[in-house]
Amino acid sequence: MSKAEVTMEVGNDGVAVITMSNPPVNALALAIIAGLKEKYAEAMRRNDVKAIVVTGKGGRFSGGFDINVFQKVHKTADISHLPDASIDLLVNTVEDAKKPSVAAVEGLALGGGLEVAMACHARIAAPKTQLGLPELSLGVLPGFGGTQRLPRLVGLSKAVEMMRLSKSISSEEGYKLGLVDAVVSSEELLKVSRRWALDIVDKRKPWVRSLHQTDKLGSVSEALDILKISRQQARKTVPHLPQHQACLDVIEEGILHGGYSGLLKETKVFNELVLSDTAKGLIHVFFAQRATSKVPNVTDIGLKPRNVKKVAVIGGGLMGSGIATALITSNIYVVLKEVNSEYLLKGIKTIEANVRGLVTKGKLTQDKAHKALSMLKGVLDYSEFKDIDMVIEAVIENIPLKQKIFSEIEKICSPHCILATNTSTIDLNLVGEKTSSQDRIIGAHFFSPAHVMPLLEVVRTEKTSAQVILDLMTVGKAIKKIPVVVGSCTGFAVNRTFFPYAQGAHFLVNLGVDPFRIDWVISNFGLPMGPFQLQDLSGYGVAVAVGKEFATAFQGRTFESPLVNLLLKNGRNGKQNGKGYYIYEKGSKPRPDPSVLPIIEESRRLANIMPGGKPISVTNQEILEMILFPVVNEACRVLDEGVVVRASDLDITSVLGMSFPSYRGGIVFWADEVGPYYVYTCLKKWSAMYGSFFKPSSYLEQRATKGIPLSAPASASPASNSRL
C-alpha cells in the first residue's frame, strides 16, 4: 500500500507544485491535510516561491475527505478526530495567503477535494473532470467551506441543486457556470496552471477569494426565496433526512451574515450531524457496500476473473428480458433462447422496450441503445451455445424443468461455461442434482426489474468453485450491479430474511388492524410503500406461490393468511387488473378501496386469531415493531446459519433488495440501534400471546441476554460451514 503523502517541487519559474498522493482517489486523510499545511508553510517561508499550484497524483485531484475517520468518530463518539481544515487550512493557510494558489484539477474533485480547489484563487481543469459535493448522501454537509464557496462561484440555485442531489457536474459545465476558470488538455494542465498562478502574481489575472464574492448570490430577498422553495422541496421529498434542512440553514447564515460567519456555523452543524443516527446509518451502508467485494477463499486467493464476453439467457419472460437488457447495455453479447417464435418475439420486443425506456430516462444515448440491440440474437435451439461463456436460466420456478435444461446445456456448452440460474427460491443443490458439473452451478438472483434494480445475489452451493463465484461477481460489477455472495437455502438472503414482513402484516390485519394504517406506518418509517401496496404491485399469484415455499421450508414459524386466496376468488389481482387493496387510476395516486373491507372481514372470521373475537388495540410503534421484529428474528437465523459472509451483507441486501431505508443503516444495523434485548423481549411477549410466528430465535436470545450486538462476528459453527 502506498502511504498518504504530500510532496512539493519548486520550479525555476518560482511556482511550487504541491501534489497530494493517497491512492486510489487521493482521499484527504489526516496525513494529507497535515501535509498540505506543512508544505504551504514551507512555500510561504521560501523566497524562491512566488505562487502555488495544488494538484493530485495519478490523474485524480481528490475524491474527498477520508470517511474512515467518520467510522472512528462513530466508534468513539469523539469529534476531536475531525481535523480543523475549514478555517485553519483553507481560509488561513490557502485563501488568505500572501501568495496565490491555483488548483490543477483532473479526473475528479469531489467533496473535500472540490472544497480545497474552491479555496484556491483559480481552478484549471482537464476535460470530463467530475466536480461535486456529495456529502448530503452520507448524512452530513460539506464541511470544508463548500456551503459558502459553491453558491458564490456558481450561483445559489445551482449550488443548492448540486448539494441536494449529491450530483456531480463535468468540468465543461463547471466552466460555463464559473466554477472552473479554464478547461485544458491533461498534457497542458500543469503548464497552464503554473502560468495562471504567475499571471495572478503579475496582476494579469484576478486574485479571487471566492469566500468574499457576492455578485452571484443576487439580492438577499431573492436568495431567501430560493432557500424557502428548497426547504419546502426537502420537507416533501426527504422528510427523514435532517442534513438537507441543516445545509440550507448554513447557506442562509452566510448570505445574511457573510461567508466567514457561514463557515463557523458550517463547522458547528457538521460536528452535530456527523454524530446523528442518519449519518451513522448512511456511512455504515457506504462501507457495507464496499465490504461485499471481499469474500474469504474467493477474492483473497490470487484468482483472476475470466473474461465473459457472450452470455446465453434461457427464457425471455419478465426476468429473462430484464437480465438480457442489463447485459447488452453493458457490452456483453447475448443469445436469447425461447421455446417458440411467439415467445421469442415477445421477449425481444420487451428488451427493445426496456432499452427505449433507458433512452427516454436519459440513462442511455441513442447510439449506445442501437449498439446494445445489435448485441442481441434470438434463437430457438442450442446450436449457438458452443462458444458461450455463461448461461443464465430464467424460466418458471419448476424443478424438473430446470433440471432438464441444465442436463441439456451441460452436454452442449464448453467445459468452462458457467451454469447460472435466476431462481428466487429453489435450493440450488436440487437444480444441479442431475448434472456432473456441480462446481459450475451458481445462482444469479436478480431483482425485478432486472435491468433497473441494483442488487445481484450470487448464490453458491457447497460445490460451486471459487473461480465461478469470482467470475459471476465480476460480471455483476460489469453490468453495474452490486453482487453479494450468499449461501443456498429457500429464499436465499433477501427473500428469506423478509418473508415474515408480508406475513407479519397479514397477521396484524387478521388481528383486526386496518391494512391502510399498516401501509401508512411502514411508509412513514421510510420504505417506499407498505406491504399491502407492494403486494398489489407484485400480484397475488406470487404471494401464494412464495408463501407455499416458505410454509414448507420453515414449518411452525410461518403465518398462512386466508386473505390473498379470498382476494383471488373475488377476481382481484392487485395492480395487474386494477383491483387490489387500492384503486388504481391513471394520473392519480393509489387510494384505499373500501370494497375490499368485507373480504378482509371474511379473512378475519376464517383466521379466527383475534383475542375474544375483538380487534386488538395497538399503537403505530407496535405496528412497526410487530412487522419488522420478526424480520430481524429471521435475519438472526440467516446469520446463525452462515448464509451471508457478514452481517453488513444483510444490511446492504435489505437496502438494495427490499428498499429498507438506507439512512437507517439496513435491517441488522437498525436492530442493533434499537437494541437486541428490546427486540427479544417484545418477540417473547408476542409469542406468548399469539404463538410461534413471533418466537425468538436462539441466536437472538443468546445475543440479547449476553449484551452482544447482532452484527458482531460469529464463531464458525457447523451450520455456518455448511452454507458458505
Side-chain angles (χ1 to χ4, degrees), residues 16-312:
V17 176
I18 294 177
T19 306
M20 302 176 281
S21 172
N22 186 15
V25 294
N26 298 328
L28 298 175
L30 299 178
I32 296 288
I33 289 166
L36 282 171
K37 282 184 193 172
E38 187 191 309
K39 297 302 174 193
Y40 258 89
E42 187 188 333
M44 293 305 132
R45 279 196 312 269
R46 284 175 61 162
N47 294 328
D48 58 339
V49 174
K50 296 179 194 171
I52 294 151
V53 167
V54 184
T55 193
K57 196 176 177 185
R60 292 184 170 106
F61 188 75
S62 171
F65 183 59
D66 178 8
I67 69 169
N68 289 296
V69 179
F70 292 160
Q71 277 194 318
K72 209 179 278 181
V73 169
H74 291 160
K75 276 175 190 155
T76 58
D78 180 4
I79 57 163
S80 69
H81 292 292
L82 297 170
D84 175 16
S86 181
I87 303 289
D88 189 31
L89 172 64
L90 297 183
V91 175
N92 300 344
T93 308
V94 178
E95 195 169 43
D96 289 351
K98 292 186 170 58
K99 297 173 185 179
S101 294
V102 172
V105 183
E106 191 176 3
L108 45 79
L110 300 173
L114 181 58
E115 289 173 297
V116 168
M118 289 192 292
C120 293
H121 305 106
R123 285 148 296 286
I124 313 301
K128 296 185 171 64
T129 298
Q130 275 182 285
L131 310 166
L133 295 178
E135 285 87 347
L136 268 72
S137 66
L138 291 173
V140 291
L141 47 68
F144 291 176
T147 62
Q148 305 306 309
R149 290 191 181 91
L150 189 64
R152 285 165 169 77
L153 286 166
V154 303
L156 185 56
S157 288
K158 185 65 187 178
V160 168
E161 180 199 304
M162 283 173 68
M163 287 185 259
R164 185 172 66 84
L165 302 175
S166 292
K167 192 178 167 188
S168 60
I169 59 169
S170 67
S171 45
E172 289 76 3
E173 191 184 343
Y175 174 66
K176 284 178 197 159
L177 291 165
L179 179 57
V180 167
D181 295 283
V183 177
V184 301
S185 69
S186 294
E187 295 75 28
E188 294 278 293
L189 184 62
L190 273 181
K191 192 172 96 180
V192 173
S193 300
R194 298 177 90 115
R195 196 165 58 235
W196 201 289
L198 290 171
D199 282 350
I200 295 174
V201 174
D202 296 336
K203 299 188 170 55
R204 284 196 292 266
K205 290 273 194 270
W207 188 318
V208 180
R209 291 182 171 90
S210 55
L211 190 64
H212 305 286
Q213 300 291 104
T214 54
D215 54 309
K216 288 196 179 175
L217 293 178
S219 71
V220 171
S221 64
E222 283 171 338
L224 292 178
D225 280 347
I226 290 167
L227 293 176
K228 186 183 174 185
I229 292 162
S230 301
R231 279 199 178 88
Q232 287 165 349
Q233 270 179 322
R235 266 195 290 274
K236 200 172 164 187
T237 55
V238 283
H240 297 284
L241 304 179
Q243 68 272 27
H244 285 260
Q245 297 291 351
C247 184
L248 295 168
D249 291 345
V250 169
I251 293 169
E252 185 177 300
E253 175 74 18
I255 286 162
L256 295 177
H257 305 290
Y260 193 80
S261 184
L263 287 186
L264 296 176
K265 180 156 183 163
E266 180 190 80
T267 301
K268 178 179 176 288
V269 173
F270 183 94
N271 291 346
E272 290 162 6
L273 285 173
V274 79
L275 289 171
S276 68
D277 290 345
T278 305
K280 286 175 186 171
L282 288 167
I283 288 161
H284 172 74
V285 166
F286 177 88
F287 283 107
Q289 186 170 319
R290 277 186 170 185
T292 58
S293 58
K294 293 179 179 138
V295 181
N297 303 316
V298 173
T299 57
D300 56 357
I301 54 173
L303 289 175
K304 284 196 166 64
R306 294 173 299 187
N307 213 347
V308 174
K309 291 179 182 170
K310 193 174 179 184
V311 175

Side-chain angles (χ1 to χ4, degrees), residues 510-524:
N510 285 292
L511 282 171
V513 182
D514 175 21
F516 306 115
R517 183 183 170 204
I518 291 169
D519 273 3
W520 181 86
V521 166
I522 294 295
S523 300
N524 200 45

